[in-house]
Amino acid sequence: MTSSWSPSSWQHKPAAQQPEWPDEGALDRATKHLGSLPPLVFAGEARALTGQLAEVAEGNAFLLQAGDCAESFDAFSADAIRDKLKVILQMAVVLTYSTGVPVIKVGRIAGQFAKPRSSPTERVDGIDLPSFRGHMVNSIVPTAAARTPDPDRLVQAYHQSAATLNLLRAFTKGGFADLSRVHQWNQQFVAASPEGRRYDRVADHIDRALRFMAACGINTESQPNLHEVDFFTSHEALILGYEEALTRQDSLTGKWYDCSAHMLWIGERSRQLDGAHVEFLRGVDNPLGVKIGATATVDEVLALCEALNPERVPGRLTLISRMGAGKIADALPPLLAAVRDAGHPVVWACDPMHGNTFTSDTGRKTRDFDAVLTEIAGFFAAHWAEGTWPGGVHIELTGDDVTECIGGGEALGHADLDDRYETICDPRLNGKQSIDLAFQVAELLDRR
Ligand code: TRP
Ligand code: MN
């Protein structure tokens, strides 16, 4: 582990979940091209996020990481980006207002284009096809040609990430996130629901406080803190050729940063200690996440902490548990205790989505909102019992009015899933379910 690192040293390690690119020359041209393009984020921003996450590690802030399971080349529009941002801002407002704790906002966005798969192939109508691996790699269309990995998609993913990030920067710094607009983030279909009305009541309180402050001579536009938000990007660093191509040395500090996003995480399927993903990410100075499933052992988790954060920098490492509602109560506490006792200053976040996926009666991949909440409640209970800080949540959601997860305020059933099932990968919470979740998390946090 202590051997020398370079942006390409991962190439000497076994790399899980990499596509088989049929044309090495084309792959080489694509990654060389990416290597010549400007970085998407810069080192100072990644350092700022590490600093904010250090506050979470110390129990003074809360992490809200949310966005699509997988972004799509097809569902790419200003409205979709705006609506996703709206629901994340709404959740952040609910959490900040209800708990009085700063909320660090990180999107699964502007780079979340690659998916790990349980099997490299998939049988469609009696034919074995390569599995869909996300729009950065291939198309979801079930033909041999469409499923063939195409390196030009790496470049397209870069450009879509750049355009997405540009709009996010404009929205979050240009006035859209100004606190005086809290009511306007509530979309029509949400506003009419009980969750939406509950949100409007919080927004009324904030409006009133802002009017009071305006009367005292402080208005939101003159206060950057009230007028803007820091919004960071993140994705699973899965396709290592892409990540390597966007890795640059910071001229100020001489350190390496993966400039494809502010924060990168390693998935449950690619976190092997001697594997390429751990090797690559240990050498970049971005804040990192690692997904931790129910079967992870204490030794594995401690070894990951040691490999990825040997200097024990607070905020550098976020452990994202994804265990399942039925397993978290047994599986999480020993890990919390061991990491605490070893003195690793990690952020603990809860991904209540990936351990709770099942196939509905109608053959749709879905999640039950109640199971999502149960896992989050188990996460909080385990932390209160161990005296550790339940630092955040990691959610798959969309601003749209989709029907992909059952349950929630509207009590969506299996038969409703066909109405608006639009995801290209895992089922996401819709706008109403997301706001509902934020209120429930705020209540759990308040019970400390
Ligand atoms: N800048 C502060 C923050 O990010 C306050 C703030 C401004 C805010 N606009 C917001 C908080 C929108 C949540 C949502 O916390
Ligand atoms: Mn997913």
Side-chain angles (χ1 to χ4, degrees):
M1 268 306 161
T2 48
S3 60
S4 69
W5 181 92
S6 79
S8 60
S9 56
W10 64 270
Q11 295 185 13
H12 305 293
K13 306 268 181 174
Q17 296 284 343
Q18 302 306 291
E20 282 181 30
W21 305 100
D23 181 347
E24 284 285 333
L27 176 64
D28 212 48
R29 282 192 297 281
T31 52
K32 282 221 172 66
H33 181 43
L34 284 171
S36 72
L37 293 172
L40 293 173
V41 305
F42 82 96
E45 296 176 303
R47 277 195 291 275
L49 177 57
T50 301
Q52 296 192 17
L53 290 171
E55 289 297 314
V56 181
E58 275 146 35
N60 302 322
F62 193 75
L63 167 65
L64 173 61
Q65 189 170 18
D68 268 314
C69 175
E71 290 171 272
S72 163
F73 284 178
D74 308 322
F76 174 41
S77 70
D79 287 1
I81 296 165
R82 182 201 58 205
D83 292 346
K84 220 170 297 168
L85 178 65
K86 272 184 184 170
V87 75
I88 294 173
L89 291 177
Q90 286 186 280
M91 293 174 80
V93 155
V94 167
L95 285 162
T96 314
Y97 186 80
S98 313
T99 67
V101 172
V103 174
I104 315 308
K105 304 154 198 73
V106 180
R108 277 178 73 109
I109 198 166
Q112 177 55 20
F113 289 106
K115 299 310 301 170
R117 303 318 305 242
S118 46
S119 162
T121 58
E122 178 194 7
R123 183 153 269 236
V124 184
D125 296 333
I127 307 168
D128 282 327
L129 294 173
S131 294
F132 172 57
R133 288 181 181 274
H135 276 165
M136 182 186 268
V137 176
N138 57 5
S139 158
I140 199 165
V141 175
T143 66
R147 289 287 175 91
T148 304
D150 174 3
D152 285 343
R153 287 177 170 269
L154 298 173
V155 179
Q156 194 178 341
Y158 167 91
H159 288 296
Q160 183 165 327
S161 299
T164 303
L165 194 49
N166 178 56
L167 199 59
L168 288 170
R169 289 186 196 281
F171 279 142
T172 54
K173 299 296 175 187
F176 183 84
D178 189 298
L179 272 180
S180 66
R181 302 180 62 131
V182 270
H183 277 294
Q184 291 160 50
W185 304 326
N186 211 7
Q187 294 189 73
Q188 198 47 51
F189 77 92
V190 180
S193 68
E195 301 81 40
R197 288 196 295 276
R198 190 173 178 192
Y199 173 84
D200 269 330
R201 287 197 292 279
V202 168
D204 284 340
H205 287 292
I206 293 172
D207 259 354
R208 188 181 293 261
L210 291 177
R211 281 202 303 278
F212 169 71
M213 292 205 304
C216 300
I218 297 170
N219 68 60
T220 57
E221 266 166 52
S222 62
Q223 298 291 319
N225 275 343
L226 303 176
H227 188 63
E228 302 173 1
V229 297
D230 288 339
F231 188 85
F232 298 96
T233 61
S234 71
H235 61 261
E236 178 174 355
L238 189 70
I239 308 299
L240 292 172
Y242 177 83
E243 304 301 335
E244 177 188 338
L246 287 167
T247 296
R248 311 291 159 84
Q249 197 166 19
D250 174 31
S251 56
L252 207 64
T253 60
K255 291 185 168 159
W256 292 93
Y257 287 85
D258 181 347
C259 297
S260 70
H262 299 110
M263 178 180 182
L264 289 313
W265 76 84
I266 311 182
E268 168 77 353
R269 293 194 180 87
S270 52
R271 59 170 172 75
Q272 301 78 12
L273 265 175
D274 53 357
H277 292 83
V278 168
E279 171 61 21
F280 174 71
L281 285 171
R282 79 180 173 96
V284 296
D285 222 51
N286 307 62
L288 304 178
V290 183
K291 293 285 187 89
I292 304 291
T295 57
T297 65
V298 160
D299 287 350
E300 269 170 10
V301 173
L302 291 181
L304 282 165
C305 292
E306 211 47 59
L308 295 170
N309 192 16
E311 313 287 339
R312 302 181 181 220
V313 178
R316 153 78 168 169
L317 183 60
T318 298
L319 299 178
I320 308 164
S321 66
R322 34 93 77 223
M323 301 187 154
K327 298 194 177 139
I328 188 164
D330 290 328
L332 186 60
L335 304 180
L336 299 182
V339 172
R340 175 199 64 207
D341 293 347
H344 278 288
V346 303
V347 170
W348 278 105
C350 176
D351 165 357
M353 315 298 294
H354 288 91
N356 297 307
T357 316
F358 67 99
T359 304
S360 80
D361 300 346
T362 54
R364 296 280 195 190
K365 213 187 200 193
T366 190
R367 291 160 174 158
D368 185 342
F369 187 71
D370 288 339
V372 168
L373 288 181
T374 303
E375 179 153 357
I376 295 179
F379 176 79
F380 277 85
H383 279 280
W384 300 147
E386 295 301 328
T388 46
W389 175 243
V393 289
H394 181 115
I395 306 291
E396 288 184 349
L397 57 70
T398 167
D400 302 335
D401 193 12
V402 300
T403 54
E404 299 172 5
C405 294
I406 62 169
E410 285 177 301
L412 290 179
H414 291 206
D416 300 315
L417 293 178
D418 285 336
D419 289 353
R420 289 177 305 282
Y421 194 95
E422 294 166 10
T423 183
I424 58 165
C425 197
D426 290 340
R428 303 158 298 175
L429 300 182
N430 63 31
K432 282 176 267 193
Q433 291 168 328
S434 301
I435 306 299
D436 194 359
L437 182 129
F439 276 111
Q440 311 252 10
V441 169
E443 282 170 15
L444 285 163
L445 255 178
D446 239 13
R447 248 176 257 155
R448 87 196 101 138

